[in-house]
Amino acid sequence: MTTRNLDAVFRPERVALIGASTRKGSVGSVLAANLLGGGFSGAVDFVNPAHRRLRGQKVHARIADLPAAPDLAVIATPPEAVPDIVAELAERGTRAAIVITAGFGELGTEASEQLQQGMLAAARPSMMRIVGPNCLGVLATANGLNASFAHLQPASGRLAFVAQSGAVISAVLDWAAPRGLGFSHLVSLGDMADVDFGDMLDYLAADGATGAILLYMESLTAPRKFMSAARAASRQKPVIVVKAGRFADSARAAATHVGALAGTDAVYDAALRRAGIVRVQDIEGLFDAAALLAERPMPHREQLTILTNGGGLGVLATDALLGQGGALAVLPEAVRARLDAVLPANWSGANPIDILGDADAERYQRAIDILLSEPETTTLLVLNSPTGVADSIASAKGVSETVAAHPRSTVLASWVGAHTAAHARRWLATHGLPSYSGPAQAATAYMHLVHYREVQDELLQTPPSMPESFVPDVAAARAAVAEAIADGCEWLSEAQCAQVLRAYAIPLVAGRMALDPEGAAAIASEIGRPVAVKLVSPQVKHKSAAGGVLLNLDGAEAVRAATAALRDRMAVEHPELDVQGFLVQPMIPGQYGLELIVGIGDDPLFGPLLLFGHGGTAVRLLADTALALPPLNMQLAYGLIDRTRVARLLTAHSGRGALDREALALILVKLSQLAVDVPQIRELDINPLLLTADGAMGLDARCRVRATDRADRLCIRPYPRELEEEVQLDDGRRLMLRPIRPEDEVMLRAGFDQLTPEEIHLRFHHFLRQLPHRYAARLSQIDYDREMALVLSELGEPGEAPLHGVVRLIAEPDNERAEFAIILSRDMRGKGIGRRMMRRILDYARSRGIREVVGDVLEYNGAMLGLCRELGFRVWRAPEERGVMRASMVLDEESSA
């Protein structure tokens, strides 16, 4: 449902408080006071049969007695009454309610769950939105709405803060007031029976009064909706989150290394990073980051320049910076020479720039002006320690004045101390300069800025084309899994696991089963070189840990003797084991390789995930792994690899050449596709995966399955291969009509370069000289759950096959309405291709339940207007824009084209 009717929550014209009270200190009394005292210009009505007047206003006995239907109702009554109240409000036309009352789903009882479901059922027919229950309420400063029982009225500002916890909202209000922080919205979501984080991200992303979105998150509902909303919002403005409960035990019973290493908090980390969100550890970090991200430009480079009047402060800041992976900028000689001219002879001469304890405002100003005039030092941290020979408040004023003359620079400040420095910090904060209580805190805030740019860059990186054509044998993989499930097996056999990996061209060392030591010896003779022998038993999942792996056995007799000893030892130590045989594999020389782990896990909330890290027998001890959500492309796979320490060992070092990083990334992409295609896979790991300079080879693998056919288990909708269609032109030429892929950015920009200025204006409604990377990446890296772009391309790999046209559909978050656009190359016009592409995108819109498709067409684009009319669009002149015609089609009134 997302943003539908949320305008009634944040921009109502009439509000009714159900449960208003005259009892001092009660929730109903505080709510009444806040609604009247927050500056709200609309009408406020009170309902309570026990009172006649409240704060000089009439109190109505019943909802039916209200003079008009409220846009928003605030409900603070006993929980048993809420479902009937919601039903009555909905019948009167109320579009939203904030349910302050507790006693619903959070209790976990059957009766409380029934109350919650009754409330939602009453709201559903009229699409009435519910915030809560069990919440503090909502504050929106733009129109003075304070529909909460908060103890303070917030200042107006550009930060939106959304939390599940009402206590956290209250604490943040108290914390922000003396710091002068203002808000556009404060929203307590409570139990999120209806309105959740995804809804709020969609709403606030489009809100012009909000510069940054801050979230305090304890749990999450509707992960796919959240991921779509978060990815869309973070492309428009900073989204920063504190995720509480980082060390909660996972509810997953994991039997593979992948399952054991994929902790709940690590999965949240992966999801938030994929969405382009900056994660911080506490509330102070949330606002420290927001002070920079909401107002400041991103740093030009990831090196920081530090200016200080005390060497010790500079060292502390440097330690904090380097400890978090940051870097100091190197002062260019030209900058050093200019600083020599204005600073005392004994200044530090390097970064950190110590301008000495007697530095006054003028010395700060001269140094800052020089530094901010240089592109290498446009990201600056200014430190000050109070001294008896310089006025630190005057220095703060001088610094803020100089910084204001360099609006494209990013500057942080830290005036250290409690008494003298407090006034200076207030001055800096009120004059637009982010100010922190200590150098370490300032360095941490700067690193939030760096991390924000990193996750934003990841959102817009263009992946390389696949290094090889990859068409998996999905049917073979599904058949192996189905066979195991039909036999009642939770674990695939060695042969079934090999069949699954072989279907996705994932290399696994060949092995043959022997029933006894003599059979193992015979197989070893045929192999003719050293072998490994592994115990096969359905009860043994970690063969090495159980002592069931024998390595480097050379010769038939050695194999027979070692296998017999293994069998006898297992019979004594583990008589309960069902030993089914022994897997014999040729030894793979590993002296020039690296043992890694790759695999698929399953999270109860986010669904399938990919894991990569340092493998081998010490995999759990090392715990050097990283997670990512499927689907992956090559660029995302490289990013997953680089988030581990073991990634540094892949490069050439100590006389050893570089390992085959491309082969490793390709295996991760293939595993990602396997996770998408075969939902029955619960856990799979390949450990070790031996990576060498010449490729990769899995040495052992196991796979756990379960019966399921959930199609929505992926929290990011994968590439919809089912929409691919081969198109044959009248001249026999064959093309492909398919969904756009991120790899297509290269060809998208190449196609743009072939357009004439008039063609560009027809499509984009303004003139562009070129298609910038950020814009092209946004057009090619789409969320298939919210928009669709079908490209007409040559046959071949995305990123290499030229494009001849694109038809695009972008849905609003509530999926009710979508906007279309189309562009074709000159050589494709007049062939009926545009009509075919439009029909395909309209059929797709119908399949997604979109009710109306609209598009704006320039009035002189006769060909497009003619096509719209031919397809059944209603066309009229757009009243708000000169020279533009609007085309609209209500799909539920149309038959499929």
Side-chain angles (χ1 to χ4, degrees), residues 624-652:
D624 176 24
T625 56
L627 301 175
L629 301 179
L632 296 185
N633 54 40
M634 290 295 286
Q635 192 65 50
L636 292 169
Y638 287 135
L640 173 59
I641 295 166
D642 289 341
R643 287 197 293 277
T644 61
R645 300 187 302 276
V646 75
R648 286 171 278 184
L649 298 179
L650 273 57
T651 58

PDB file of all heavy atoms in Angstrom, residues 624-652:
ATOM      1  N   ASP A 624      36.475 -14.840   8.838  1.00  0.00           N
ATOM      2  CA  ASP A 624      36.750 -13.761   7.887  1.00  0.00           C
ATOM      3  C   ASP A 624      35.840 -13.942   6.687  1.00  0.00           C
ATOM      4  O   ASP A 624      36.224 -14.491   5.649  1.00  0.00           O
ATOM      5  CB  ASP A 624      38.227 -13.808   7.474  1.00  0.00           C
ATOM      6  CG  ASP A 624      38.577 -12.765   6.412  1.00  0.00           C
ATOM      7  OD1 ASP A 624      37.852 -11.757   6.333  1.00  0.00           O
ATOM      8  OD2 ASP A 624      39.544 -12.989   5.663  1.00  0.00           O
ATOM      9  N   THR A 625      34.594 -13.516   6.843  1.00  0.00           N
ATOM     10  CA  THR A 625      33.599 -13.712   5.794  1.00  0.00           C
ATOM     11  C   THR A 625      32.790 -12.443   5.600  1.00  0.00           C
ATOM     12  O   THR A 625      32.760 -11.560   6.458  1.00  0.00           O
ATOM     13  CB  THR A 625      32.640 -14.870   6.147  1.00  0.00           C
ATOM     14  OG1 THR A 625      32.027 -14.611   7.420  1.00  0.00           O
ATOM     15  CG2 THR A 625      33.373 -16.199   6.190  1.00  0.00           C
ATOM     16  N   ALA A 626      32.121 -12.361   4.458  1.00  0.00           N
ATOM     17  CA  ALA A 626      31.212 -11.258   4.158  1.00  0.00           C
ATOM     18  C   ALA A 626      29.983 -11.830   3.472  1.00  0.00           C
ATOM     19  O   ALA A 626      30.039 -12.906   2.860  1.00  0.00           O
ATOM     20  CB  ALA A 626      31.891 -10.220   3.272  1.00  0.00           C
ATOM     21  N   LEU A 627      28.890 -11.104   3.578  1.00  0.00           N
ATOM     22  CA  LEU A 627      27.603 -11.544   3.035  1.00  0.00           C
ATOM     23  C   LEU A 627      27.096 -10.561   1.994  1.00  0.00           C
ATOM     24  O   LEU A 627      27.413  -9.371   2.032  1.00  0.00           O
ATOM     25  CB  LEU A 627      26.561 -11.661   4.147  1.00  0.00           C
ATOM     26  CG  LEU A 627      26.841 -12.615   5.302  1.00  0.00           C
ATOM     27  CD1 LEU A 627      25.754 -12.490   6.351  1.00  0.00           C
ATOM     28  CD2 LEU A 627      26.928 -14.047   4.805  1.00  0.00           C
ATOM     29  N   ALA A 628      26.287 -11.065   1.092  1.00  0.00           N
ATOM     30  CA  ALA A 628      25.603 -10.212   0.117  1.00  0.00           C
ATOM     31  C   ALA A 628      24.272 -10.853  -0.226  1.00  0.00           C
ATOM     32  O   ALA A 628      24.100 -12.068  -0.115  1.00  0.00           O
ATOM     33  CB  ALA A 628      26.442 -10.033  -1.144  1.00  0.00           C
ATOM     34  N   LEU A 629      23.335 -10.026  -0.644  1.00  0.00           N
ATOM     35  CA  LEU A 629      22.018 -10.516  -1.039  1.00  0.00           C
ATOM     36  C   LEU A 629      21.994 -10.751  -2.548  1.00  0.00           C
ATOM     37  O   LEU A 629      22.502  -9.927  -3.310  1.00  0.00           O
ATOM     38  CB  LEU A 629      20.933  -9.493  -0.678  1.00  0.00           C
ATOM     39  CG  LEU A 629      20.808  -9.116   0.794  1.00  0.00           C
ATOM     40  CD1 LEU A 629      19.718  -8.078   0.974  1.00  0.00           C
ATOM     41  CD2 LEU A 629      20.513 -10.333   1.651  1.00  0.00           C
ATOM     42  N   PRO A 630      21.404 -11.865  -2.987  1.00  0.00           N
ATOM     43  CA  PRO A 630      21.242 -12.047  -4.427  1.00  0.00           C
ATOM     44  C   PRO A 630      20.098 -11.156  -4.933  1.00  0.00           C
ATOM     45  O   PRO A 630      19.259 -10.731  -4.124  1.00  0.00           O
ATOM     46  CB  PRO A 630      20.884 -13.524  -4.542  1.00  0.00           C
ATOM     47  CG  PRO A 630      20.233 -13.871  -3.248  1.00  0.00           C
ATOM     48  CD  PRO A 630      20.896 -13.001  -2.214  1.00  0.00           C
ATOM     49  N   PRO A 631      20.092 -10.870  -6.233  1.00  0.00           N
ATOM     50  CA  PRO A 631      21.010 -11.358  -7.261  1.00  0.00           C
ATOM     51  C   PRO A 631      22.297 -10.539  -7.306  1.00  0.00           C
ATOM     52  O   PRO A 631      22.307  -9.358  -6.959  1.00  0.00           O
ATOM     53  CB  PRO A 631      20.198 -11.179  -8.543  1.00  0.00           C
ATOM     54  CG  PRO A 631      19.287 -10.030  -8.254  1.00  0.00           C
ATOM     55  CD  PRO A 631      18.935 -10.123  -6.795  1.00  0.00           C
ATOM     56  N   LEU A 632      23.386 -11.199  -7.730  1.00  0.00           N
ATOM     57  CA  LEU A 632      24.679 -10.544  -7.885  1.00  0.00           C
ATOM     58  C   LEU A 632      25.023 -10.409  -9.362  1.00  0.00           C
ATOM     59  O   LEU A 632      24.671 -11.265 -10.169  1.00  0.00           O
ATOM     60  CB  LEU A 632      25.795 -11.354  -7.219  1.00  0.00           C
ATOM     61  CG  LEU A 632      25.774 -11.563  -5.704  1.00  0.00           C
ATOM     62  CD1 LEU A 632      27.045 -12.285  -5.277  1.00  0.00           C
ATOM     63  CD2 LEU A 632      25.636 -10.248  -4.968  1.00  0.00           C
ATOM     64  N   ASN A 633      25.733  -9.326  -9.698  1.00  0.00           N
ATOM     65  CA  ASN A 633      26.432  -9.250 -10.974  1.00  0.00           C
ATOM     66  C   ASN A 633      27.924  -9.258 -10.678  1.00  0.00           C
ATOM     67  O   ASN A 633      28.336  -9.380  -9.515  1.00  0.00           O
ATOM     68  CB  ASN A 633      26.003  -8.005 -11.762  1.00  0.00           C
ATOM     69  CG  ASN A 633      26.160  -6.723 -10.948  1.00  0.00           C
ATOM     70  OD1 ASN A 633      27.136  -6.556 -10.210  1.00  0.00           O
ATOM     71  ND2 ASN A 633      25.206  -5.814 -11.077  1.00  0.00           N
ATOM     72  N   MET A 634      28.754  -9.124 -11.687  1.00  0.00           N
ATOM     73  CA  MET A 634      30.193  -9.231 -11.474  1.00  0.00           C
ATOM     74  C   MET A 634      30.699  -8.130 -10.533  1.00  0.00           C
ATOM     75  O   MET A 634      31.544  -8.367  -9.672  1.00  0.00           O
ATOM     76  CB  MET A 634      30.934  -9.181 -12.806  1.00  0.00           C
ATOM     77  CG  MET A 634      30.750 -10.417 -13.671  1.00  0.00           C
ATOM     78  SD  MET A 634      31.458 -11.925 -12.961  1.00  0.00           S
ATOM     79  CE  MET A 634      33.212 -11.611 -13.212  1.00  0.00           C
ATOM     80  N   GLN A 635      30.168  -6.920 -10.671  1.00  0.00           N
ATOM     81  CA  GLN A 635      30.633  -5.826  -9.827  1.00  0.00           C
ATOM     82  C   GLN A 635      30.273  -6.065  -8.366  1.00  0.00           C
ATOM     83  O   GLN A 635      31.084  -5.841  -7.459  1.00  0.00           O
ATOM     84  CB  GLN A 635      30.017  -4.498 -10.294  1.00  0.00           C
ATOM     85  CG  GLN A 635      30.638  -3.263  -9.672  1.00  0.00           C
ATOM     86  CD  GLN A 635      32.082  -3.088 -10.067  1.00  0.00           C
ATOM     87  OE1 GLN A 635      32.420  -3.148 -11.246  1.00  0.00           O
ATOM     88  NE2 GLN A 635      32.955  -2.890  -9.100  1.00  0.00           N
ATOM     89  N   LEU A 636      29.063  -6.532  -8.111  1.00  0.00           N
ATOM     90  CA  LEU A 636      28.656  -6.831  -6.739  1.00  0.00           C
ATOM     91  C   LEU A 636      29.453  -7.995  -6.169  1.00  0.00           C
ATOM     92  O   LEU A 636      29.761  -8.026  -4.972  1.00  0.00           O
ATOM     93  CB  LEU A 636      27.157  -7.137  -6.693  1.00  0.00           C
ATOM     94  CG  LEU A 636      26.225  -5.951  -6.982  1.00  0.00           C
ATOM     95  CD1 LEU A 636      24.792  -6.431  -7.173  1.00  0.00           C
ATOM     96  CD2 LEU A 636      26.300  -4.914  -5.867  1.00  0.00           C
ATOM     97  N   ALA A 637      29.790  -8.957  -7.018  1.00  0.00           N
ATOM     98  CA  ALA A 637      30.614 -10.077  -6.559  1.00  0.00           C
ATOM     99  C   ALA A 637      32.006  -9.596  -6.163  1.00  0.00           C
ATOM    100  O   ALA A 637      32.546 -10.013  -5.127  1.00  0.00           O
ATOM    101  CB  ALA A 637      30.710 -11.134  -7.656  1.00  0.00           C
ATOM    102  N   TYR A 638      32.591  -8.712  -6.959  1.00  0.00           N
ATOM    103  CA  TYR A 638      33.897  -8.150  -6.593  1.00  0.00           C
ATOM    104  C   TYR A 638      33.807  -7.388  -5.270  1.00  0.00           C
ATOM    105  O   TYR A 638      34.702  -7.462  -4.429  1.00  0.00           O
ATOM    106  CB  TYR A 638      34.403  -7.208  -7.688  1.00  0.00           C
ATOM    107  CG  TYR A 638      34.888  -7.901  -8.937  1.00  0.00           C
ATOM    108  CD1 TYR A 638      34.520  -7.443 -10.199  1.00  0.00           C
ATOM    109  CD2 TYR A 638      35.719  -9.011  -8.865  1.00  0.00           C
ATOM    110  CE1 TYR A 638      34.962  -8.072 -11.355  1.00  0.00           C
ATOM    111  CE2 TYR A 638      36.161  -9.652 -10.015  1.00  0.00           C
ATOM    112  CZ  TYR A 638      35.775  -9.177 -11.260  1.00  0.00           C
ATOM    113  OH  TYR A 638      36.219  -9.803 -12.394  1.00  0.00           O
ATOM    114  N   GLY A 639      32.720  -6.655  -5.084  1.00  0.00           N
ATOM    115  CA  GLY A 639      32.538  -5.925  -3.827  1.00  0.00           C
ATOM    116  C   GLY A 639      32.452  -6.859  -2.640  1.00  0.00           C
ATOM    117  O   GLY A 639      32.982  -6.567  -1.561  1.00  0.00           O
ATOM    118  N   LEU A 640      31.761  -7.984  -2.799  1.00  0.00           N
ATOM    119  CA  LEU A 640      31.664  -8.980  -1.727  1.00  0.00           C
ATOM    120  C   LEU A 640      33.044  -9.516  -1.376  1.00  0.00           C
ATOM    121  O   LEU A 640      33.406  -9.632  -0.198  1.00  0.00           O
ATOM    122  CB  LEU A 640      30.736 -10.116  -2.172  1.00  0.00           C
ATOM    123  CG  LEU A 640      30.631 -11.331  -1.262  1.00  0.00           C
ATOM    124  CD1 LEU A 640      30.138 -10.946   0.124  1.00  0.00           C
ATOM    125  CD2 LEU A 640      29.708 -12.388  -1.887  1.00  0.00           C
ATOM    126  N   ILE A 641      33.842  -9.836  -2.372  1.00  0.00           N
ATOM    127  CA  ILE A 641      35.201 -10.332  -2.136  1.00  0.00           C
ATOM    128  C   ILE A 641      36.025  -9.305  -1.371  1.00  0.00           C
ATOM    129  O   ILE A 641      36.730  -9.633  -0.401  1.00  0.00           O
ATOM    130  CB  ILE A 641      35.871 -10.682  -3.481  1.00  0.00           C
ATOM    131  CG1 ILE A 641      35.158 -11.853  -4.154  1.00  0.00           C
ATOM    132  CG2 ILE A 641      37.351 -11.004  -3.284  1.00  0.00           C
ATOM    133  CD1 ILE A 641      35.537 -12.048  -5.617  1.00  0.00           C
ATOM    134  N   ASP A 642      35.925  -8.055  -1.777  1.00  0.00           N
ATOM    135  CA  ASP A 642      36.783  -7.006  -1.211  1.00  0.00           C
ATOM    136  C   ASP A 642      36.429  -6.643   0.217  1.00  0.00           C
ATOM    137  O   ASP A 642      37.194  -5.930   0.882  1.00  0.00           O
ATOM    138  CB  ASP A 642      36.720  -5.753  -2.092  1.00  0.00           C
ATOM    139  CG  ASP A 642      37.425  -5.948  -3.426  1.00  0.00           C
ATOM    140  OD1 ASP A 642      38.251  -6.877  -3.521  1.00  0.00           O
ATOM    141  OD2 ASP A 642      37.125  -5.201  -4.374  1.00  0.00           O
ATOM    142  N   ARG A 643      35.288  -7.102   0.719  1.00  0.00           N
ATOM    143  CA  ARG A 643      34.917  -6.788   2.099  1.00  0.00           C
ATOM    144  C   ARG A 643      35.505  -7.782   3.100  1.00  0.00           C
ATOM    145  O   ARG A 643      35.117  -7.785   4.265  1.00  0.00           O
ATOM    146  CB  ARG A 643      33.396  -6.727   2.234  1.00  0.00           C
ATOM    147  CG  ARG A 643      32.796  -5.492   1.590  1.00  0.00           C
ATOM    148  CD  ARG A 643      31.388  -5.214   2.070  1.00  0.00           C
ATOM    149  NE  ARG A 643      30.430  -6.208   1.646  1.00  0.00           N
ATOM    150  CZ  ARG A 643      29.829  -6.232   0.463  1.00  0.00           C
ATOM    151  NH1 ARG A 643      30.141  -5.329  -0.443  1.00  0.00           N
ATOM    152  NH2 ARG A 643      28.949  -7.160   0.157  1.00  0.00           N
ATOM    153  N   THR A 644      36.428  -8.623   2.654  1.00  0.00           N
ATOM    154  CA  THR A 644      37.089  -9.570   3.551  1.00  0.00           C
ATOM    155  C   THR A 644      38.577  -9.260   3.629  1.00  0.00           C
ATOM    156  O   THR A 644      39.146  -8.620   2.743  1.00  0.00           O
ATOM    157  CB  THR A 644      36.915 -11.015   3.044  1.00  0.00           C
ATOM    158  OG1 THR A 644      37.527 -11.131   1.750  1.00  0.00           O
ATOM    159  CG2 THR A 644      35.447 -11.393   2.944  1.00  0.00           C
ATOM    160  N   ARG A 645      39.213  -9.747   4.686  1.00  0.00           N
ATOM    161  CA  ARG A 645      40.662  -9.588   4.817  1.00  0.00           C
ATOM    162  C   ARG A 645      41.409 -10.474   3.828  1.00  0.00           C
ATOM    163  O   ARG A 645      42.466 -10.109   3.330  1.00  0.00           O
ATOM    164  CB  ARG A 645      41.100  -9.929   6.246  1.00  0.00           C
ATOM    165  CG  ARG A 645      40.471  -9.050   7.313  1.00  0.00           C
ATOM    166  CD  ARG A 645      41.068  -9.304   8.688  1.00  0.00           C
ATOM    167  NE  ARG A 645      40.940 -10.685   9.128  1.00  0.00           N
ATOM    168  CZ  ARG A 645      39.874 -11.201   9.716  1.00  0.00           C
ATOM    169  NH1 ARG A 645      38.805 -10.438   9.930  1.00  0.00           N
ATOM    170  NH2 ARG A 645      39.841 -12.478  10.113  1.00  0.00           N
ATOM    171  N   VAL A 646      40.843 -11.653   3.538  1.00  0.00           N
ATOM    172  CA  VAL A 646      41.520 -12.590   2.657  1.00  0.00           C
ATOM    173  C   VAL A 646      41.641 -12.043   1.232  1.00  0.00           C
ATOM    174  O   VAL A 646      42.485 -12.511   0.455  1.00  0.00           O
ATOM    175  CB  VAL A 646      40.789 -13.955   2.662  1.00  0.00           C
ATOM    176  CG1 VAL A 646      39.506 -13.909   1.853  1.00  0.00           C
ATOM    177  CG2 VAL A 646      41.704 -15.058   2.133  1.00  0.00           C
ATOM    178  N   ALA A 647      40.847 -11.044   0.893  1.00  0.00           N
ATOM    179  CA  ALA A 647      40.919 -10.465  -0.457  1.00  0.00           C
ATOM    180  C   ALA A 647      42.314  -9.949  -0.769  1.00  0.00           C
ATOM    181  O   ALA A 647      42.753  -9.967  -1.925  1.00  0.00           O
ATOM    182  CB  ALA A 647      39.891  -9.341  -0.596  1.00  0.00           C
ATOM    183  N   ARG A 648      43.031  -9.485   0.275  1.00  0.00           N
ATOM    184  CA  ARG A 648      44.377  -8.956   0.041  1.00  0.00           C
ATOM    185  C   ARG A 648      45.349 -10.044  -0.399  1.00  0.00           C
ATOM    186  O   ARG A 648      46.380  -9.758  -1.009  1.00  0.00           O
ATOM    187  CB  ARG A 648      44.883  -8.271   1.306  1.00  0.00           C
ATOM    188  CG  ARG A 648      44.219  -6.920   1.566  1.00  0.00           C
ATOM    189  CD  ARG A 648      44.577  -6.361   2.915  1.00  0.00           C
ATOM    190  NE  ARG A 648      43.756  -6.947   3.972  1.00  0.00           N
ATOM    191  CZ  ARG A 648      43.813  -6.582   5.246  1.00  0.00           C
ATOM    192  NH1 ARG A 648      44.665  -5.646   5.627  1.00  0.00           N
ATOM    193  NH2 ARG A 648      43.037  -7.153   6.132  1.00  0.00           N
ATOM    194  N   LEU A 649      45.041 -11.296  -0.071  1.00  0.00           N
ATOM    195  CA  LEU A 649      45.920 -12.394  -0.462  1.00  0.00           C
ATOM    196  C   LEU A 649      45.711 -12.819  -1.914  1.00  0.00           C
ATOM    197  O   LEU A 649      46.471 -13.639  -2.433  1.00  0.00           O
ATOM    198  CB  LEU A 649      45.689 -13.603   0.454  1.00  0.00           C
ATOM    199  CG  LEU A 649      45.995 -13.393   1.942  1.00  0.00           C
ATOM    200  CD1 LEU A 649      45.691 -14.661   2.718  1.00  0.00           C
ATOM    201  CD2 LEU A 649      47.444 -12.980   2.135  1.00  0.00           C
ATOM    202  N   LEU A 650      44.709 -12.289  -2.570  1.00  0.00           N
ATOM    203  CA  LEU A 650      44.457 -12.656  -3.954  1.00  0.00           C
ATOM    204  C   LEU A 650      45.406 -11.945  -4.915  1.00  0.00           C
ATOM    205  O   LEU A 650      45.571 -12.360  -6.057  1.00  0.00           O
ATOM    206  CB  LEU A 650      43.004 -12.340  -4.347  1.00  0.00           C
ATOM    207  CG  LEU A 650      41.947 -13.413  -4.070  1.00  0.00           C
ATOM    208  CD1 LEU A 650      41.916 -13.805  -2.605  1.00  0.00           C
ATOM    209  CD2 LEU A 650      40.564 -12.927  -4.504  1.00  0.00           C
ATOM    210  N   THR A 651      45.998 -10.842  -4.461  1.00  0.00           N
ATOM    211  CA  THR A 651      46.909 -10.092  -5.320  1.00  0.00           C
ATOM    212  C   THR A 651      48.295 -10.731  -5.291  1.00  0.00           C
ATOM    213  O   THR A 651      48.610 -11.552  -4.421  1.00  0.00           O
ATOM    214  CB  THR A 651      47.004  -8.642  -4.858  1.00  0.00           C
ATOM    215  OG1 THR A 651      47.453  -8.617  -3.490  1.00  0.00           O
ATOM    216  CG2 THR A 651      45.638  -7.963  -4.925  1.00  0.00           C
ATOM    217  N   ALA A 652      49.131 -10.353  -6.248  1.00  0.00           N
ATOM    218  CA  ALA A 652      50.488 -10.892  -6.308  1.00  0.00           C
ATOM    219  C   ALA A 652      51.277 -10.432  -5.088  1.00  0.00           C
ATOM    220  O   ALA A 652      51.238  -9.261  -4.709  1.00  0.00           O
ATOM    221  CB  ALA A 652      51.177 -10.412  -7.585  1.00  0.00           C
TER     222      ALA A 652
END
